[in-house]
Amino acid sequence: GSRRGVGASINTLPVRIDTTGRTVTEGVRAAHETLTGLIRHEHAPLSLAQRCSGVPAGVPLFTSLLNYRHDTLDRDGEAAAWLGVEALSSRERTNYPFVVMVDDSGDRFRLTAQVQAAIDPGQVCALLVQALTELTAGDRALAELDVLPVAE
């Protein structure tokens, strides 16, 4: 189960993706190319990322985090590894004011939002579900996607 841990073994780099004039397919391709290109920088020190970002000194480099976790673990093998271990409690914590986690188990997604008290995490998840629904509804211009739920 240690391979599921997050911490000093990962690095986070800022990403900006231009969606202007692109279709869903073009946007997904551009995001994939950008993220693939960042792999060669995965061990860059945070101080270097800050200098290269263009963000003024003293301003946080990150104010939000999207964590996509693809879980393809063998459930039976993992269960056997934890046999006899009892979890007494757990709590995820973050220093980011806005965090969304997408857990992809292969056959379904689970969304979790950890946000400042002034923000409704349920609304954040509803907005994300709407955006995902629109993204999977066919290839059209990204600017045409209706990302607000009906209630909004």
Side-chain angles (χ1 to χ4, degrees), residues 11-15 38-46 49 61-62:
N11 198 356
T12 305
L13 296 172
V15 173
L38 282 175
I39 289 174
R40 64 190 167 120
H41 302 289
E42 67 183 337
H43 298 294
L46 180 58
L61 187 56
F62 304 103

Side-chain angles (χ1 to χ4, degrees), residues 1-7 9-10 67 69-73 75 78 82 103 110:
S2 65
R3 64 183 173 243
R4 296 183 71 182
V6 178
S9 61
I10 68 165
N67 188 6
R69 303 182 282 203
H70 188 240
D71 185 1
T72 58
L73 298 175
R75 299 277 179 219
E78 184 177 342
W82 290 100
D103 291 303
R110 187 180 84 204

Side-chain angles (χ1 to χ4, degrees), residues 71-108:
D71 185 1
T72 58
L73 298 175
D74 173 15
R75 299 277 179 219
D76 294 330
E78 184 177 342
W82 290 100
L83 191 62
V85 176
E86 178 185 354
L88 299 177
S89 70
S90 70
R91 181 176 177 194
E92 289 194 39
R93 297 178 186 196
T94 181
N95 291 328
Y96 297 102
F98 192 97
V99 177
V100 172
M101 281 130 340
V102 180
D103 291 303
D104 178 356
S105 64
D107 60 348
R108 66 184 182 95

Side-chain angles (χ1 to χ4, degrees), residues 25-144:
T25 299
E26 292 166 345
V28 169
R29 252 190 216 114
H32 181 266
E33 289 171 9
T34 299
L35 294 172
T36 301
L38 282 175
I39 289 174
R40 64 190 167 120
H41 302 289
E42 67 183 337
H43 298 294
L46 180 58
S47 59
L48 177 60
Q50 287 172 319
R51 284 194 307 272
C52 295
S53 72
V55 174
V59 174
L61 187 56
F62 304 103
T63 57
S64 58
L65 179 69
L66 172 66
N67 188 6
Y68 177 86
R69 303 182 282 203
H70 188 240
D71 185 1
T72 58
L73 298 175
D74 173 15
R75 299 277 179 219
D76 294 330
E78 184 177 342
W82 290 100
L83 191 62
V85 176
E86 178 185 354
L88 299 177
S89 70
S90 70
R91 181 176 177 194
E92 289 194 39
R93 297 178 186 196
T94 181
N95 291 328
Y96 297 102
F98 192 97
V99 177
V100 172
M101 281 130 340
V102 180
D103 291 303
D104 178 356
S105 64
D107 60 348
R108 66 184 182 95
F109 291 108
R110 187 180 84 204
L111 303 175
T112 307
Q114 292 179 351
V115 293
Q116 291 181 336
I119 302 171
D120 176 13
Q123 184 181 28
V124 170
C125 289
L127 290 166
L128 189 53
V129 166
Q130 176 66 26
L132 290 170
T133 300
E134 287 287 305
L135 283 171
T136 59
D139 196 26
R140 57 188 180 186
L142 284 168
E144 294 175 9

